Amino acid sequence: MRFSKILWPFVVGASVFVGSIALTSAHAAADTAAKTASKPTPRQLERQKYEQAQKALNAKNMPEYSRLVKQLQNYPLLPYLEYQELSNRLISLPKDEVQDFFRSYPESFLSERLMHRWLRTLAQRERWADYRQFYDKRLTDPELACLNLRARLATGDKTALADVAPLWNIDKAQSKACDPVFDQWRKAGLMTPELIWERHQKAVKAGNKGMVSYLTTQLPSGDRAMATLLQQVDANPRLLKQTGNYSKQTAYMKDVILYGLDKLARTDAKEALALWHRYDAQQLFSDEDRINIKYQIALRLLHQNHDLEAEKLVASTPNLTRADLLEWLLRESLRKQDWERVNEWLTRLPDETRQTERWRYWQARTMEELKIKEINGETADSIYNSVAPARSFYGFLAADKTGINYHLLDRPLTFTEKQVHDVENAQGILRAREFYARGEVAAANREYFHTTRRMTTEQMVIAGRLAEKLGWYRLGIQVMADAQYWDDLQVRFPVVYKEHVNKAAKQTSVNPLLIFAVARQESAFMHDAKSPVGALGLMQLMPATAKQTAQKNGISYNVQDLITPEKNIALGSRYLNHLLGVFDGNRILAAAAYNAGPTRVKKWLNKEKEAQLPYDVWIETIPYKETRGYVQNILSFSVIYAYRLGEQTSFVTPAEANRQL
């Protein structure tokens, strides 16, 4: 398949670059000098003085600290010294200096951290007018929000009581700092029985027994029996089988029944459905409650493999149109290749969901299977043609259906030299670069993301291109996603470690496009990435898998090797080669196995042995959402990397397309 290459130039000043960014000469010179000079550079001397100033500050040697700080006025990390020094004496209420810090470093990570400490200090000293002056409504700390309400009340703003309920009505205890505000709110008669009941329900659902007991005592005496009933149903939802005990027609009784049915459905959805039919005839539930409980029961029926019951329930409820539920039913119908049922569920999807590339593609596929010539003025071919321009899994599928070229939109934005200079010299970016130079990666990442997430879209794109240029590949990829700018393929799909990839590909016969795609998906080219379960490096290998692969291939190995790009790629490609061997060279199955494990993939294949699914249906019906998305990304990324490397490729090979899975 050939690509439709759409490449836009990236302009800086009078120069034109394709897929590249021009660093200012000052930064480039500084970075080069730091690596090549035989004597300390000015920046290296600043780093030494910075460390000396930290030691002096920690030792409370203020004359020495002051002397050194005067020599660090242009050093990017100077704010960290100023923050530490100022934090040490907040109790003395240096209001003017705090304001100066906020003015000097607006919207910075350190200003946000100092704001938290400063507000707590003001509250401790009961400086409520000052607290209100400095408080920022964008802060998300509930304790600070409570203290702000307290400050408003202390300075005569009684309207603050109207803002208390959302802070109180949660499933756990708030900070003790909230207690004075809650006391005033309660004394004002605003803690109503309805609010107490609502919070009691939340606490029961969260399993917060202490809170449940406390709230029960706060309810009016006439409501406490109902609270006890809810707690009993929470402990044993099958008590609902005694329908006579739950016949009282009250709003609270409805809450008890709905809660119990929802909890019962988690373990026995069929029994919950049977009880629902009985209670639906007994109680007058609102339309919203009826839809919500049917949705929960139907979803649990599907989880518990009661597909027929779920289908009947949804089919009998025309206004039950939750997208996730209908998508599950669609996949079940696809797996059974029941195209009539697929067509029915497609018509039930919300308009917004039905118009996505995914379900547009399956609408066309369904029309082909059912030999439907036209729906709403569209033929199957016209739908494929509308999806094919997308640079996506479904776009590539549709392109293969119609025989048109893959559409690889590559559109780097254009910027002036001043725009690039302003981003490069943003304080947070300079601090991030300095932290990276010092080897403090966590601090660098923190500064970079805190800074970029406060930028305009254009500034974020520039920052992403700078990150790619500096080798911060994961950061560049992430900030492009944050900016929701998808069409700069150099940043989003960097070609890195090419020598190691090509070497591994030659040694294993694994297509280098597949290796690039897996590394991009697994780690976004973060060489020392570590997953929560312990997978390491570019291709995210588990140590046990890496050890076994190394032994099988006669490669020396220790765990630290996995954060070395060359060794990780060598081992990852060999494991990938092993999986390709297990699954007869089929990349679809090998990619699924790389993510979910070969045992699961074999189980899925055995389950569908009688059905023999087309490859697109098999991918769409992979039971794990993560693995489904993983396989789709690996195939799509392989096409994009072919474009990036100037090669031609097919989305799926003839063997993959023709094999029934």
Side-chain angles (χ1 to χ4, degrees):
M1 177 66 73
R2 296 192 176 195
F3 301 116
S4 293
K5 298 184 180 181
I6 302 178
L7 187 63
W8 290 25
F10 176 66
V11 180
V12 182
S15 301
V16 178
F17 303 85
V18 176
S20 182
I21 189 167
L23 295 176
T24 62
S25 58
H27 286 325
D31 290 347
T32 302
K35 296 177 181 178
T36 60
S38 58
K39 63 180 182 179
T41 64
R43 177 51 52 86
Q44 288 172 327
L45 290 173
E46 284 182 317
R47 289 171 188 155
Q48 293 172 8
K49 291 174 182 176
Y50 176 79
E51 291 168 4
Q52 293 168 5
Q54 279 186 315
K55 291 178 181 178
L57 187 56
N58 291 336
K60 295 183 170 53
N61 185 349
M62 301 313 293
E64 177 66 3
Y65 166 77
S66 299
R67 183 186 70 81
L68 290 164
V69 162
K70 290 176 183 177
Q71 302 174 53
L72 293 170
Q73 293 305 300
N74 295 317
Y75 185 56
L77 302 188
L78 173 64
Y80 280 80
L81 291 174
E82 295 177 340
Y83 167 82
Q84 183 180 345
E85 190 277 329
L86 191 54
S87 296
N88 289 345
R89 52 189 181 88
L90 284 182
I91 198 65
S92 66
L93 302 177
K95 179 178 175 180
D96 291 342
E97 292 171 77
V98 169
Q99 285 181 318
D100 287 343
F101 189 94
F102 292 148
R103 291 192 194 103
S104 298
Y105 310 112
E107 302 293 324
S108 68
F109 168 75
L110 286 178
S111 283
E112 186 173 306
R113 177 184 281 184
L114 182 64
M115 178 66 77
H116 281 249
R117 298 188 66 172
W118 176 236
L119 288 173
R120 284 184 168 84
T121 300
L122 291 173
Q124 181 183 354
R125 299 292 297 274
E126 298 189 353
R127 298 288 291 266
W128 299 120
D130 288 337
Y131 191 101
R132 292 190 66 179
Q133 175 189 342
F134 281 96
Y135 183 74
D136 187 334
K137 291 181 180 179
R138 294 175 297 173
L139 293 171
T140 57
D141 187 327
E143 180 179 297
L144 296 181
C146 280
L147 290 171
N148 184 54
L149 293 177
R150 189 175 173 188
R152 288 169 61 187
L153 290 168
T155 54
D157 181 6
K158 299 302 181 183
T159 65
L161 292 175
D163 297 328
V164 173
L167 285 167
W168 180 83
N169 190 8
I170 62 173
D171 62 14
K172 58 185 177 182
Q174 285 281 26
S175 164
K176 290 189 178 297
C178 298
D179 288 349
V181 174
F182 292 162
D183 287 343
Q184 288 192 54
W185 176 69
R186 182 168 45 249
K187 289 174 182 176
L190 298 174
M191 191 174 81
T192 63
E194 292 77 16
L195 273 174
I196 299 171
W197 174 258
E198 188 177 328
R199 191 182 188 191
H200 173 260
Q201 285 183 281
K202 293 177 181 178
V204 168
K205 187 173 183 178
N208 189 340
K209 294 183 179 180
M211 179 63 67
V212 167
S213 297
Y214 164 73
L215 290 169
T216 301
T217 66
Q218 298 300 302
L219 283 165
S221 57
D223 293 336
R224 291 174 193 168
M226 194 63 67
T228 301
L229 195 63
L230 177 62
Q231 295 159 32
Q232 291 170 345
V233 167
D234 176 60
N236 181 11
R238 282 189 168 84
L239 290 174
L240 288 177
K241 293 169 72 174
Q242 302 167 20
T243 54
N245 294 339
Y246 304 89
S247 59
K248 192 174 181 180
Q249 299 286 327
T250 68
Y252 289 177
M253 183 62 80
K254 292 184 180 70
D255 289 339
V256 171
I257 294 168
L258 292 170
Y259 177 83
L261 289 172
D262 180 53
K263 185 159 187 180
L264 177 60
R266 298 175 205 175
T267 55
D268 193 338
K270 288 182 71 173
E271 186 171 12
L273 179 59
L275 283 172
W276 161 248
H277 289 313
R278 294 170 67 182
Y279 280 110
D280 192 25
Q282 174 183 298
Q283 295 275 350
L284 295 174
F285 294 101
S286 69
D287 289 343
E288 182 180 0
D289 284 339
R290 297 178 81 249
I291 288 295
N292 287 338
I293 193 61
K294 286 185 177 184
Y295 165 74
Q296 293 297 339
I297 293 173
L299 208 57
R300 297 297 174 181
L301 285 167
L302 289 169
H303 274 287
Q304 295 162 26
N305 297 317
H306 302 308
D307 303 343
L308 184 60
E309 290 81 357
E311 287 187 13
K312 287 181 178 178
L313 177 58
V314 177
S316 66
T317 314
N319 52 349
L320 181 50
T321 57
R322 303 280 182 92
D324 58 338
L325 178 61
L326 292 170
E327 286 181 332
W328 191 316
L329 291 167
L330 272 162
R331 291 192 176 93
E332 283 301 312
S333 299
L334 282 169
R335 185 177 59 79
K336 297 171 184 174
Q337 299 190 76
D338 183 348
W339 296 100
E340 291 283 0
R341 186 63 97 179
V342 170
N343 198 43
E344 290 176 24
W345 294 132
L346 282 169
T347 64
R348 289 276 299 270
L349 281 174
D351 289 342
E352 184 178 358
T353 305
R354 190 169 58 251
Q355 294 304 316
T356 60
E357 295 164 14
R358 180 192 306 272
W359 298 116
R360 293 270 295 162
Y361 171 82
W362 286 112
Q363 181 69 78
R365 278 282 275 119
T366 303
M367 292 170 70
E368 283 186 325
E369 293 290 340
L370 297 177
K371 296 181 171 51
I372 298 173
K373 291 183 178 180
E374 188 177 293
I375 293 179
N376 296 327
E378 291 187 301
T379 64
D381 281 346
S382 68
I383 294 174
Y384 283 138
N385 283 323
S386 73
V387 175
R391 188 190 57 237
S392 69
F393 175 77
Y394 297 98
F396 297 150
L397 281 178
D400 278 354
K401 282 285 185 181
T402 58
I404 69 174
N405 292 342
Y406 300 141
H407 197 80
L408 277 296
L409 182 62
D410 191 6
R411 185 177 55 184
L413 293 178
T414 61
F415 303 104
T416 66
E417 188 173 344
K418 182 180 184 304
Q419 286 176 302
V420 174
H421 178 272
D422 288 348
V423 171
E424 283 187 18
N425 289 278
Q427 291 183 357
I429 297 296
L430 293 176
R431 288 192 290 270
R433 293 187 68 174
E434 181 57 17
F435 274 128
Y436 266 107
R438 293 169 59 88
E440 299 177 47
V441 176
N445 291 347
R446 183 182 64 216
E447 280 284 358
Y448 180 84
F449 284 124
H450 186 92
T451 301
T452 57
R453 286 168 181 165
R454 285 155 180 78
M455 289 179 167
T456 65
T457 297
E458 291 77 11
Q459 290 171 329
M460 292 172 79
V461 171
I462 295 171
R465 294 176 81 59
L466 176 62
E468 188 270 337
K469 182 70 176 179
L470 295 173
W472 306 348
Y473 304 114
R474 184 185 72 83
L475 272 62
I477 291 167
Q478 181 62 57
V479 79
M480 286 297 189
D482 291 343
Q484 294 191 322
Y485 190 74
W486 313 111
D487 298 334
D488 192 325
L489 299 190
Q490 176 170 323
V491 179
R492 295 193 59 229
F493 296 92
V495 178
V496 291
Y497 309 117
K498 186 176 179 181
E499 180 182 348
H500 301 324
V501 169
N502 287 337
K503 179 181 177 182
K506 289 177 182 178
Q507 292 172 339
T508 62
S509 298
V510 177
N511 192 318
L513 301 178
L514 182 58
I515 300 174
F516 275 118
V518 170
R520 167 63 171 78
Q521 173 66 25
E522 290 285 352
S523 68
F525 297 106
M526 184 176 177
H527 74 90
D528 57 353
K530 182 176 181 179
S531 77
V533 297
L536 294 169
L538 289 170
M539 298 182 74
Q540 286 291 279
L541 290 165
M542 293 297 291
T545 301
K547 182 178 180 180
Q548 186 178 34
T549 303
Q551 290 173 343
K552 182 178 178 180
N553 290 274
I555 299 174
S556 62
Y557 165 80
N558 65 65
V559 174
Q560 285 301 112
D561 288 341
L562 292 182
I563 63 173
T564 303
E566 182 175 10
K567 185 61 72 74
N568 190 283
I569 290 170
L571 291 171
S573 62
R574 282 165 173 78
Y575 180 56
L576 201 50
N577 191 50
H578 163 71
L579 294 174
L580 286 165
V582 169
F583 295 104
D584 300 323
N586 190 299
R587 294 173 307 145
I588 296 168
L589 301 179
Y594 200 97
N595 178 257
T599 301
R600 286 195 183 94
V601 174
K602 291 175 182 177
K603 180 181 177 182
W604 297 337
L605 288 171
N606 289 334
K607 182 179 179 181
E608 309 300 346
K609 189 172 288 184
E610 294 181 6
Q612 292 292 290
L613 303 178
Y615 77 94
D616 57 349
V617 174
W618 192 87
I619 294 171
E620 189 65 58
T621 58
I622 290 173
Y624 291 178
K625 181 179 180 180
E626 177 188 323
T627 304
R628 188 187 317 138
Y630 185 95
V631 172
Q632 292 175 350
N633 281 352
I634 294 300
L635 294 176
S636 302
F637 291 177
S638 295
V639 173
I640 295 170
Y641 269 105
Y643 160 75
R644 291 282 289 118
L645 293 165
E647 301 178 10
Q648 301 295 327
T649 193
S650 296
F651 185 50
V652 292
T653 66
E656 291 166 341
N658 294 328
R659 176 177 172 177
Q660 297 286 300
L661 301 176

